[in-house]
Amino acid sequence: MAISPVVTYDATSNIKVTATKAKSLAVRTNSISNAPNAPPSKPEKGRELAERLNDETKQKYVKDKKLGEGTYAIVYLGHLRADHSSLLAIKKIKVNTEYRDGLSMDAIREVKHLQELSHPNIIALHAVFSSKNQNLNLVLEYLPLGDLEMLIKDSEGIRYGTAEVKAWMGMLGRAVWFCHENFVLHRDIKPNNLLIAADGEVKLADFGLARSFSDPYRPMTYQVITRWYRPPELLFGARFYSGAVDVWSMGTVFAELILRFPFVAGNTDVHQLELICNAIGTPTEENWPGVSKLEGFLKYDKAATIPVRGKDFYLSKFGTAGPVGVDLLMSMLALDPRKRCTARQVLEHKWWSSDPRPTAKEYLPKKGGGAERMGEDLKRRGGEIEDGRGEKVARKLNFDVGKS
Amino acid sequence: MSQMTEDDIYRTSTQYRLWSFTRESLASLRSTTNASAADGVRAAIRSQRTGHAGSGTAREGSNQKPSDPSKEVDCLTVEEEQKLVGFYCVKAIQFADFCEFPTNVKATAVQYLKRFYLSNSPMTYHPKEMMAAALFLSTKTENHYTSLRSFASKLPKTTPESVVAPEFLLTQGLRFTFDVRHPHRGLEGGVMELLALAHGKGQADPESKRSSEQIQEEMVDIQPAKESSKKSRSADDVVRRIQAAHGKAKEVGKSSALLTDAYFLYTPSQIWLSSLFLADEPLTRFYIDTKIPKPSTLKTKLITTLQACAKLLGSSASANPGEAEIKALTKIDKKLFKCRNPEKVDLVGINKAQKRDSEGTGDNGLDEKVIKKRKMEREKSEKEAEDIFGPTLAKEPK
């Protein structure tokens, strides 16, 4: 448990890890234990300590232009008051819109988990403050180079190969491993939640659907993860699941990076399952013991059952990844979540140490997504698919007791 | 290969970065908070006496000379604040049990209250109102969401508005950190390890060169938890002993671990090990020996820390306050009635006003009607405040 299997490409990576963390910790607000040092007897006796600390944080940042606005949040470009060259994204969460029960679950989830997770492949939350009308503002690191979806779709302008896919997947793998190591399920991994920093580093963003691992026997909702990236157990209505759900999403992103179009893109949940059966195989008691007991299990005709695809099938479709890469892909897309590899096993896979070496991040293909793209990405609510990429998936989270 | 230990990960948590203290820094923070709240109360009451009541003018009120220094308000001491907050932490546990919320929901709610009152005083915000808000917020952060309406209906004299009105203040006081790391899961893991050892399936540190069977046999010979307890004779006895210690440690984890300052002073692993230490010291020492077989400064330091933490956990008053304590609490609450900050009594009104302000009129756009209405609301709730504490206390069992 103690030793991280984080894959690093070169000797400098370790140093960068520490440097990024140190930076994000330093930018974050000071410890409350420093509070007594703040002069308590300023001429503002009516003001309370918490309020003053909040104002101190707020004063550190300046909002510039608006980058995007959605129903859930407004995203601004911003900078540090003390340093005009510093760039930041400030996400102002709209409080009290349709939701009357106080702070919304999306906001709580995002703030709760991003406050805890500091890792070079997870979007850094530098600070949180409130404006006087009780709106929450998240100060996030600025990621100006768009997201993986943009790169995947621009098959005319952007060319990349296995070495690049390996670099991106490595960064995604480390982000997911770190979430799981901290007992957090992301539950919305997809290419447009993978943002790209100025130096080419991939950062996992949007924690609006994330949650801590459930205790044994405590049910969770299965209405999570954008459909194309959702694993079969959730489509069958499983209420007890693990990090394996994120690993499946990672597998579908891997496949999409190679194919340059979504691997299994269903129009409805039933259609999604049908596509999974065709592409990977039909879930049965033989290849997935216990599957028929899941609430939403759909029985398939014996005659129509498609046997689980073998390595030849994957090699013909994903041959560019090489036999070792295909082996990793197959283990991420195992139907039975218990047979699927864990995030740790993903990082321990021999694909990373076999040829070709992953491209160094400074040589990865880039496409200027610009500030606006980040605005678009951050204003979204978890589980939404952008217009023009399949129909909108309205999120229906079931917030019944104990099932979120 | 870079290495990251569990300790490294814990040190990145907000619980470590923002909510861990030494005894001294904790005491100093509390006394600063108390002094600054007392100043606020005195200023607000003075400005009210001089006839400048109303939330708009009160802030400037602090610049005025006290009209009658002999009538200076008698404010709560840090100890009195602590007692009061402690009482509402117990209340929070009782309400959570009544609503059948899981352990993590109630444990988080109690820590929210304790964290909030590090930078806020009960003289400014009454813990009764904050308690409901903390419990509701923790149902959301701990994934046990209950609709506000049904939540409010379970608490006496509580409306949905009064539950969420202080929520914003609460989140600000929590410095927008919602994650609380608990000792409960760690305890389960430790007990599983102990049971594996007792079943002859466990492993010790390779340095100790003991086989699983050897450890299993040695466990039978661990000296009893108390001199009066029976000696184990078989592996089954050892299993029963572990189960008994588990039960006791779990109780500690649900009561004194939450109610004392343990979370501020110790890490979750120190807390669960100390709970086990309190329940069965020889067994816990044996367990630690399987991890760190040889004497070392680390081991000495660990044992010293566990002893100090166990002492804290063992010292806590019972979860049900006795008659004398109730009397003392009633006295504190009577005193509080006279030293509450009059500007902060009506949280529902303040909350509404803040939202209304943000909707358009701007800062100074409050018209006479609104001010008058707010004043009336405030006076009404001040009247209600008189019986805020009494009746609930009287109903207290035993």
Side-chain angles (χ1 to χ4, degrees):
Chain A
M1 182 74 179
I3 298 165
S4 129
V6 179
V7 183
T8 50
Y9 311 137
D10 51 64
T12 54
S13 295
N14 283 339
I15 300 157
K16 277 172 203 146
V17 171
T18 353
T20 314
K21 178 172 285 171
K23 187 180 141 228
S24 93
L25 292 185
V27 181
R28 285 173 178 187
T29 47
N30 304 323
S31 156
I32 198 168
S33 52
N34 296 336
N37 302 336
S41 52
K42 275 189 187 167
E44 38 171 2
K45 277 184 182 161
R47 314 282 321 287
E48 286 151 41
L49 183 62
E51 229 171 292
R52 287 207 307 268
L53 287 170
N54 183 55
D55 285 355
E56 264 170 42
T57 311
K58 190 161 91 185
Q59 289 306 317
K60 277 193 210 158
Y61 304 100
V62 180
K63 270 182 202 158
D64 302 321
K65 63 171 179 178
K66 192 193 270 190
L67 297 178
E69 175 162 4
T71 48
Y72 167 62
I74 307 175
V75 185
Y76 298 89
L77 187 65
H79 66 266
L80 276 170
R81 193 173 296 277
D83 175 7
H84 287 254
S85 65
S86 64
L87 290 173
L88 298 156
I90 300 179
K91 176 170 173 175
K92 179 168 153 183
I93 292 173
K94 294 183 178 173
V95 186
N96 310 325
T97 41
E98 71 230 47
Y99 191 67
R100 315 202 79 199
D101 290 14
L103 201 50
S104 76
M105 290 295 288
D106 312 77
I108 284 178
R109 291 186 150 130
E110 181 145 32
V111 172
K112 176 179 171 182
H113 298 296
L114 283 184
Q115 288 273 36
E116 306 298 321
L117 299 168
S118 69
H119 185 277
N121 298 114
I122 295 174
I123 188 169
L125 175 66
H126 295 309
V128 182
F129 63 85
S130 63
S131 19
K132 68 171 179 298
N133 44 9
Q134 303 195 352
N135 280 321
L136 271 191
N137 293 267
L138 277 53
V139 183
L140 294 158
E141 78 180 299
Y142 180 58
L143 303 169
L145 294 186
D147 55 50
L148 274 189
E149 187 196 342
M150 285 173 58
L151 295 176
I152 292 170
K153 279 167 85 179
D154 187 8
S155 47
E156 299 286 306
I158 300 280
R159 281 162 183 257
Y160 60 77
T162 311
E164 286 77 28
V165 172
K166 193 179 278 188
W168 287 321
M169 284 305 295
M171 295 188 264
L172 169 58
R174 275 169 277 163
V176 175
W177 167 79
F178 192 77
C179 289
H180 293 180
E181 196 73 355
N182 281 279
F183 308 105
V184 173
L185 301 174
H186 184 278
R187 306 199 298 183
D188 201 15
I189 292 168
K190 55 180 171 181
N192 66 1
N193 277 340
L194 292 162
L195 310 196
I196 302 169
D199 64 355
E201 194 85 44
V202 167
K203 312 261 180 176
L204 181 56
D206 193 348
F207 280 67
L209 286 179
R211 63 160 291 159
S212 309
F213 286 12
S214 176
D215 278 328
Y217 309 110
R218 282 203 182 280
M220 297 181 269
T221 175
Y222 52 83
Q223 303 268 19
V224 286
I225 305 185
T226 307
R227 188 185 302 123
W228 301 346
Y229 308 92
R230 199 183 298 159
E233 65 268 30
L234 293 184
L235 291 162
F236 284 144
R239 292 198 170 281
F240 304 96
Y241 51 87
S242 68
V245 298
D246 286 339
V247 174
W248 174 279
S249 307
M250 248 201 288
T252 54
V253 171
F254 188 9
E256 185 170 336
L257 277 168
I258 298 170
L259 298 173
R260 301 202 70 154
F261 55 82
F263 179 38
V264 270
N267 298 324
T268 62
D269 289 359
V270 174
H271 185 219
Q272 182 70 21
L273 273 167
E274 213 178 289
L275 293 180
I276 290 175
C277 291
N278 284 328
I280 294 160
T282 311
T284 60
E285 275 296 319
E286 285 73 50
N287 58 36
W288 181 351
V291 64
S292 62
K293 296 199 183 71
L294 289 172
E295 234 171 274
F297 178 68
L298 299 172
K299 213 168 171 288
Y300 297 96
D301 246 342
K302 263 261 156 68
T305 296
I306 299 156
V308 174
R309 304 283 187 181
K311 196 157 177 174
D312 289 348
F313 169 82
Y314 283 90
L315 276 172
S316 70
K317 260 191 128 137
F318 305 99
T320 49
V324 187
V326 159
D327 183 73
L328 173 62
L329 177 63
M330 288 175 72
S331 64
M332 290 162 108
L333 293 176
L335 291 171
D336 183 348
R338 276 167 298 201
K339 292 177 194 146
R340 212 172 290 152
C341 59
T342 63
R344 167 178 285 264
Q345 285 163 345
V346 168
L347 293 185
E348 284 165 348
H349 200 273
K350 55 184 185 297
W351 189 52
W352 311 106
S353 50
S354 62
D355 276 338
R357 289 171 68 81
T359 308
K361 64 183 176 196
E362 53 269 35
Y363 301 120
L364 285 169
K366 293 181 179 95
K367 186 178 165 75
E372 281 70 22
R373 180 69 185 189
M374 186 179 189
E376 291 300 308
D377 280 338
L378 289 184
K379 74 177 197 196
R380 257 195 323 266
R381 187 183 277 254
E384 276 179 14
I385 294 182
E386 287 296 292
D387 290 340
R389 273 205 108 201
E391 102 282 24
K392 277 211 169 181
V393 179
R395 195 144 59 99
K396 288 179 292 174
L397 264 192
N398 184 358
F399 281 138
D400 290 347
V401 169
K403 287 175 197 159
S404 41
Chain B
M1 282 286 203
S2 72
Q3 293 195 355
M4 197 171 195
T5 64
E6 278 180 60
D7 282 359
D8 292 331
I9 291 183
Y10 181 70
R11 274 188 280 265
T12 66
S13 71
T14 52
Q15 177 150 319
Y16 177 79
R17 291 188 291 118
L18 300 179
W19 304 106
S20 293
F21 303 90
T22 61
R23 282 173 197 266
E24 295 71 35
S25 60
L26 194 59
S28 128
L29 180 56
R30 282 182 174 142
S31 79
T32 310
T33 298
N34 171 270
S36 126
D39 282 349
V41 167
R42 290 189 185 112
I45 291 180
R46 264 199 308 268
S47 72
Q48 221 183 27
R49 280 181 192 158
T50 46
H52 288 270
S55 51
T57 53
R59 276 182 194 161
E60 291 89 66
S62 57
N63 297 330
Q64 293 169 350
K65 294 263 174 300
S67 55
D68 186 355
S70 67
K71 279 188 191 164
E72 200 64 292
V73 195
D74 186 17
C75 289
L76 295 189
T77 64
V78 175
E79 291 69 35
E80 288 167 333
E81 289 179 333
Q82 283 292 96
K83 275 219 171 90
L84 207 57
V85 173
F87 174 76
Y88 281 99
C89 289
V90 173
K91 278 281 190 196
I93 294 178
Q94 290 171 347
F95 279 130
D97 285 339
F98 172 72
C99 300
E100 297 179 326
F101 290 148
T103 306
N104 55 346
V105 171
K106 80 183 157 191
T108 296
V110 171
Q111 295 317 305
Y112 283 171
L113 275 176
K114 290 182 72 90
R115 288 176 178 187
F116 177 80
Y117 283 109
L118 286 184
S119 60
N120 289 282
S121 162
M123 293 184 278
T124 323
Y125 302 112
H126 201 291
K128 182 193 163 89
E129 288 152 61
M130 299 315 297
M131 180 202 76
L135 201 51
F136 183 61
L137 182 63
S138 85
T139 63
K140 292 194 276 185
T141 60
E142 293 291 342
N143 295 295
H144 197 79
Y145 180 69
T146 317
S147 86
L148 177 59
R149 190 162 295 282
S150 94
F151 178 89
S153 69
K154 286 179 186 154
L155 293 174
K157 286 196 200 166
T158 307
T159 62
E161 290 74 30
S162 74
V163 174
V164 283
E167 188 178 68
F168 175 74
L169 282 166
L170 178 65
T171 56
Q172 186 173 264
L174 294 174
R175 309 195 65 199
F176 310 108
T177 61
F178 302 129
D179 191 48
V180 181
R181 313 245 166 157
H182 296 294
H184 311 112
R185 246 187 221 179
L187 175 68
E188 297 305 310
V191 168
M192 280 180 195
E193 277 193 311
L194 271 169
L195 286 172
L197 291 171
H199 286 124
K201 288 175 194 152
Q203 272 173 353
D205 184 277
E207 247 185 62
S208 76
K209 296 195 177 73
R210 292 186 292 177
S211 70
S212 303
E213 292 74 25
Q214 257 174 306
I215 297 174
Q216 187 182 25
E217 278 168 33
E218 283 172 33
M219 285 185 98
V220 180
D221 296 327
I222 304 173
Q223 76 178 87
K226 284 184 209 132
E227 278 176 30
S228 55
S229 9
K230 261 200 293 186
K231 268 191 75 78
S232 308
R233 286 207 197 101
S234 63
D236 284 348
D237 282 352
V238 177
V239 169
R240 274 189 287 275
R241 173 179 183 168
I242 295 168
Q243 284 161 343
H246 182 202
K248 276 185 202 158
K250 243 165 113 171
E251 254 333 288
V252 173
K254 285 183 198 168
S255 54
S256 64
L258 304 178
L259 298 169
T260 59
D261 286 334
Y263 277 60
F264 291 138
L265 302 170
Y266 299 98
T267 66
S269 359
Q270 287 166 347
I271 296 172
W272 77 255
L273 269 172
S274 303
S275 316
L276 203 60
F277 202 88
L278 201 62
D280 191 336
E281 184 179 330
L283 183 69
T284 312
R285 281 181 184 271
F286 182 90
Y287 174 70
I288 293 167
D289 285 342
T290 64
K291 305 266 173 201
I292 319 172
K294 287 188 183 148
S296 66
T297 43
L298 171 77
K299 195 169 178 177
T300 319
K301 204 174 154 191
L302 175 66
I303 299 282
T304 317
T305 309
L306 295 185
Q307 279 168 328
C309 180
K311 196 175 158 200
L312 176 70
L313 297 178
S315 69
S316 150
S318 70
N320 274 323
E323 213 167 290
E325 273 172 86
I326 299 274
K327 243 184 188 167
L329 283 163
T330 316
K331 216 171 135 193
I332 297 172
D333 200 59
K334 280 214 171 112
K335 187 175 168 188
L336 175 59
F337 179 67
K338 287 184 186 137
C339 63
R340 276 196 78 177
N341 190 329
E343 289 168 15
K344 309 282 183 179
V345 171
D346 174 25
L347 290 182
V348 174
I350 293 173
N351 189 43
K352 269 190 202 149
Q354 272 180 349
K355 285 185 190 165
R356 202 164 36 224
D357 288 353
S358 70
E359 271 161 19
T361 46
D363 285 353
N364 308 315
L366 291 179
D367 56 26
E368 290 291 314
K369 257 190 208 161
V370 177
I371 292 171
K372 200 176 165 196
K373 192 172 164 235
R374 250 195 254 170
K375 194 176 170 221
M376 275 168 65
E377 278 173 0
R378 195 165 47 239
E379 281 165 0
K380 185 170 163 252
S381 64
E382 270 167 34
K383 253 183 226 147
E384 281 169 359
E386 268 177 85
D387 59 16
I388 265 181
F389 202 91
T392 25
L393 263 186
K395 269 185 238 154
E396 208 49 49
K398 284 148 258 169

